[in-house]
Amino acid sequence: MNFDDFKLDERGLIPVVVQDDENDQVLMLAYMNKEAYERTLEEGRMVYWSRSRGELWRKGDTSGHVQYVRSLDIDCDADTILARVIQVGAACHTGHRSCFYRRLVQMDGSESKK
């Protein structure tokens, strides 16, 4: 599938859910533009588009916390990529393994039975 076939937002970006290939942990959410996608394919390392800095961002260049691509999948609507990676070090800029380390709520399951 070509990048031009993806459903992009108004800025030409597609969200990327990043998952650890070894244990299925969701590590982060980032965005790609066409150049980031093509460089990811060429290099075998995750390259994103930084919305805050307005530039390409190759994960690990400054932190050393590299993400090596294992697979890229597209969802049924072609509007989100799932990247399975080998994560070296922390994925989060805070130093946590995953960006999702703060729980908002925990349900015991009984809520869904009503």
Side-chain angles (χ1 to χ4, degrees):
M1 193 170 193
N2 190 309
F3 189 85
D4 295 328
D5 297 325
F6 299 160
K7 292 180 186 169
L8 309 174
D9 70 11
E10 64 282 350
R11 295 166 291 181
L13 302 175
I14 188 166
V16 182
V17 176
V18 184
Q19 187 176 26
D20 190 312
D21 191 57
E22 294 178 3
N23 61 22
D24 297 334
Q25 181 180 27
V26 175
L27 299 173
M28 57 185 276
L29 172 72
Y31 292 84
M32 283 183 169
N33 64 6
K34 186 174 185 173
E35 185 179 1
Y37 178 74
E38 290 172 350
R39 291 207 26 207
T40 295
L41 296 180
E42 291 169 9
E43 299 178 16
R45 283 180 55 185
M46 294 304 295
V47 179
Y48 304 108
W49 178 256
S50 172
R51 296 178 303 159
S52 60
R53 295 189 311 263
E55 64 186 15
L56 288 177
W57 156 44
R58 185 170 54 196
K59 185 71 172 153
D61 275 357
T62 56
S63 68
H65 301 163
V66 178
Q67 294 174 339
Y68 295 103
V69 180
R70 295 292 291 159
S71 65
L72 299 176
D73 296 296
I74 192 78
D75 76 339
C76 57
D77 295 321
D79 65 1
T80 304
I81 292 173
L82 173 64
R84 293 185 58 91
V85 303
I86 296 172
Q87 177 68 51
V88 177
C92 186
H93 73 281
T94 65
H96 288 85
R97 177 79 177 163
S98 169
C99 292
F100 298 98
Y101 61 90
R102 300 184 300 168
R103 176 151 301 143
L104 294 175
V105 66
Q106 177 77 37
M107 302 290 193
D108 66 8
S110 63
E111 293 84 0
S112 64
K113 296 177 185 175
K114 294 180 182 177

